[in-house]
Amino acid sequence: MLLAFDTATPAVTVALFDGERVVAERTMVDAMRHGELLAPEIAAVLDEAGLVRQDLTALAVGVGPGPFTGLRVGLVTARTLASVLEIPVYGVCTLDVLAAAAVDDGTVAGPFHVATDARRKEVYWASYDAEGRRLDGPEVVKPATVATDGPVVGRGALLYPDAFPDARGPEHPSAAVLARVVADERAELLDPEPLYLRRPDIAEPHKPKRVS
Amino acid sequence: MAVTDGPLVLGIETSCDETGVGIVRGHTLLADAVASSVEEHARFGGVVPEVASRAHLEAMVPTIERACETAGIKLYEVDAVAVTSGPGLAGALLVGVAAAKALALGLGKPLYGVNHLASHVAVDQLEHGPLPEPCVAMLVSGGHSSLLKVSDVTTGVEPLGATIDDAAGEAFDKVARLLGLPFPGGPHVDRAARSGSSVAIDFPRGLTSGRDLERHRFDFSFSGLKTAVARWVEARERSGEPVPVADVAASFQEAVCDVLTRKAVDAAVRHGIDDILIGGGVAANSRLRVLAEERAAAKGIRVRVPRPGLCTDNGAMVAALGSELVARGRRPSALDLPADSSLPVTTVVV
Ligand SMILES: [Zn+2]
């Protein structure tokens, strides 16, 4: 039984996958409350499926890129749960999950891009072939520098219609797709390390200000 | 010796730059593992929240494992998980809270989201046994400076006073920088002060004048003191004379400790309380301990200060409070427990 979740976007999405099908899934969109929503959602999908924690055999987690605070909630939850349950945890680039969803839904046919909201007027960005294999990225960029008339999947496309007029597919990733991606090894399986793509904002301190 | 008395509680603390995981059984400390990112912050002269949050994520699981190893226990034996829910740096708190939820979920055990300040009080029982209740608690660190009346550490914590500007530890950091001493400033100022004279310079004592006492009897202010030290050092530099670092450190430290201990003793006398408990990083200051004991003894008041390792932020203090909550049958937190960066001191369990 695979438990999958992703907190790299405003969506907190959780799913249970039994090897063949998704047996429970929950998604809530609230960019400010990842820390509050994730654990109750995990408990809820287990309940809904009539399972207990000991039934879990593996974890899958979206490793971003994404705004740091929410992203860390998913990663520390995955690492700690994996440690206490003594089960493996697989990381997947969150943009790859959006790409897989767009391909499976048939919302894209040829090559396309994925863009999610990186805040500060930037997007997390990656490029894919028609099968959803990542060709380039992820990186964090200003929309204008990668503007395209081609199809762009994800919330980032909707936020910047001038740069991305052809917005397609799902806005947010789904843990159900994440679970399938891991089960089918459709994307590169990564360690549960965050893809921050940005260095922390820090400035070397100035000399103490004079007061007299 | 196997300790079998009381609940086995694991506590997680990530309110600032230390990733702390402590394990206690009842009042017995079994493990206190701390991973600190202080060196990453040192060159910035203060804690950088995003750097601290990243470090918490990396340190969390290894620190939990190290604590279990030291305590000689397996995670599944833990009876409850406690975690600092606030106050503190929002992003840093969130990592600890999420980890604690994952532990509680994975173990099927209750979760207690607790107040960082109440934990600073509870930790003393690991060293000196059951807490004196009621007591006056003085918590002084880089993040807090408060006087509390504690009638029951699990339900009855009442603020008497707090700093109206800088925290005491912050003043130590800023003065250390003025004097060219490293971050964090507390221990370095303490060391430098040992060879200086505490009466060399008469630095101001904030909120101790008659009028201030009417409105701020148990409050603190360290901003004016910090500025006075800066002015004094600048005047010296301008005149081309060397700055007597040891004397400045000793006189500054005396001003801080004088105000802190005076107000703590006054609070105890005013409320008819016989015990003062001191916690937080500044409690490790050697002069503060000596002066507090001297002044309290003169009024027949006892002073309890945990050893320095338990005064600074750590997981053991959270576990200690958790253990008390379990022992006194308090209700655990829900899984949607938030991290609350400005959690009021009166809320012991969220
Ligand atoms: Zn503290």
Side-chain angles (χ1 to χ4, degrees):
Chain A
M1 186 65 55
L2 174 70
L3 170 68
F5 46 87
D6 186 297
T7 58
T9 73
V12 177
T13 175
V14 180
L16 275 173
F17 185 77
D18 71 1
E20 281 176 17
R21 55 183 202 94
V22 172
V23 294
E25 183 186 5
R26 273 178 174 250
T27 298
M28 289 181 85
V29 179
D30 187 339
M32 301 307 292
R33 297 178 64 231
H34 293 81
E36 285 152 64
L37 296 174
L38 180 60
E41 280 191 28
I42 293 174
V45 291
L46 283 168
D47 263 11
E48 208 176 301
L51 297 172
V52 290
R53 59 190 193 280
Q54 294 91 336
D55 293 320
L56 300 176
T57 55
L59 300 176
V61 64
V63 299
F68 312 149
T69 310
L71 178 59
R72 272 190 290 270
V73 168
L75 285 166
V76 79
T77 301
R79 289 183 188 185
T80 309
L81 259 184
S83 166
V84 55
L85 296 173
E86 298 181 5
I87 56 177
V89 51
Y90 305 101
V92 175
C93 170
T94 298
L95 305 186
D96 291 358
V97 176
L98 273 158
V103 169
D104 292 356
D105 293 353
T107 53
V108 292
F112 63 99
H113 306 277
V114 173
T116 58
D117 184 12
R119 300 178 186 167
R120 300 187 206 168
K121 297 184 176 145
E122 292 186 310
V123 291
Y124 297 114
W125 177 257
S127 307
Y128 293 85
D129 70 11
E131 275 79 53
R133 276 188 295 262
R134 179 155 33 96
L135 302 173
D136 209 8
E139 56 186 324
V140 60
V141 294
K142 295 228 177 300
T145 62
V146 292
T148 173
D149 289 335
V152 179
V153 171
R155 173 110 182 114
L158 294 169
L159 285 173
Y160 302 101
D162 289 351
F164 312 123
D166 189 2
R168 304 257 188 107
E171 260 186 73
H172 301 303
S174 131
V177 178
L178 167 61
R180 284 202 208 91
V181 164
V182 168
D184 302 343
E185 290 191 45
R186 273 174 67 186
E188 191 187 352
L189 300 186
L190 308 164
D191 287 331
E193 295 289 341
L195 290 172
Y196 291 125
L197 303 191
R198 275 189 189 130
R199 281 215 280 269
D201 278 332
I202 31 184
E204 295 280 350
H206 303 289
K207 290 278 288 173
K209 267 197 241 78
R210 300 194 68 88
V211 297
S212 55
Chain B
M1 182 191 74
V3 186
T4 51
D5 259 13
L8 185 66
V9 179
L10 183 146
I12 296 179
E13 150 64 34
T14 63
S15 68
C16 192
D17 62 334
E18 328 252 55
T19 313
V21 179
I23 299 174
V24 307
R25 163 98 63 198
H27 290 172
T28 309
L29 175 64
L30 301 182
D32 183 20
V34 180
S36 175
S37 59
V38 67
E39 274 165 27
E40 292 173 57
H41 304 287
R43 66 197 175 101
F44 304 111
V47 174
V48 183
E50 176 60 21
V51 172
S53 301
R54 289 186 183 195
H56 286 312
L57 170 62
E58 296 316 316
M60 186 54 66
V61 169
T63 310
I64 293 172
E65 286 170 353
R66 196 148 50 84
C68 289
E69 216 174 273
T70 306
I73 61 133
K74 297 277 176 222
L75 265 180
Y76 65 79
E77 297 174 65
V78 165
D79 295 312
V81 178
V83 64
T84 304
S85 163
L89 300 170
L93 288 167
L94 200 54
V95 177
V97 169
K101 289 180 184 180
L103 268 185
L105 253 176
L107 295 168
K109 294 292 164 59
L111 170 74
Y112 294 85
V114 304
N115 192 302
H116 179 86
L117 295 173
S119 302
H120 269 306
V121 177
V123 72
D124 189 62
Q125 68 194 6
L126 300 180
E127 189 153 345
H128 299 115
L131 292 173
E133 286 170 341
C135 66
V136 165
M138 178 166 71
L139 305 180
V140 271
S141 75
H144 20 271
S145 308
S146 16
L147 271 180
L148 311 171
K149 181 181 166 196
V150 182
S151 50
D152 176 332
V153 75
T154 64
T155 55
V157 179
E158 182 191 319
L160 299 177
T163 181
I164 60 167
D165 40 55
D166 294 354
E170 221 178 319
F172 272 93
D173 287 339
K174 286 175 180 167
V175 166
R177 264 182 79 196
L178 277 172
L179 297 176
L181 301 171
F183 174 85
H188 294 284
V189 170
D190 195 351
R191 203 165 308 135
R194 270 172 224 168
S195 53
S197 160
S198 62
V199 294
I201 310 152
D202 188 17
F203 286 129
R205 270 66 169 157
L207 300 184
T208 54
S209 73
R211 265 190 64 196
D212 283 336
L213 284 177
E214 279 169 32
R215 284 187 53 212
H216 293 291
R217 182 163 173 184
F218 301 124
D219 289 327
F220 305 110
S221 162
F222 298 108
S223 169
L225 169 61
K226 172 195 71 189
T227 308
V229 175
R231 280 219 179 90
W232 197 92
V233 169
E234 282 165 21
R236 268 293 166 119
E237 284 167 344
R238 251 196 312 269
S239 69
E241 289 172 82
V243 175
V245 170
D247 283 347
V248 174
S251 300
F252 157 76
Q253 177 173 284
E254 190 66 17
V256 175
C257 296
D258 179 22
V259 177
L260 287 175
T261 55
R262 221 193 281 180
K263 297 209 173 199
V265 171
D266 183 30
V269 171
R270 159 79 178 70
H271 290 272
I273 290 172
D274 295 334
D275 292 272
I276 294 175
L277 199 152
I278 306 179
V282 177
N285 183 275
S286 57
R287 181 61 183 150
L288 182 66
R289 290 181 176 229
V290 170
L291 198 55
E293 270 159 26
E294 217 175 270
R295 288 184 169 170
K299 304 274 183 192
I301 293 166
R302 291 176 294 265
V303 175
R304 282 172 50 159
V305 192
R307 63 175 177 271
L310 293 179
C311 282
T312 47
D313 293 350
N314 61 73
M317 65 192 225
V318 181
L321 180 53
S323 158
E324 216 44 35
L325 290 163
V326 175
R328 298 188 195 182
R330 305 291 178 235
R331 197 152 46 101
S333 308
L335 269 184
D336 66 354
L337 168 74
D340 183 349
S341 60
S342 53
L343 186 69
V345 66
T346 45
T347 305
V348 175
V349 194
V350 180

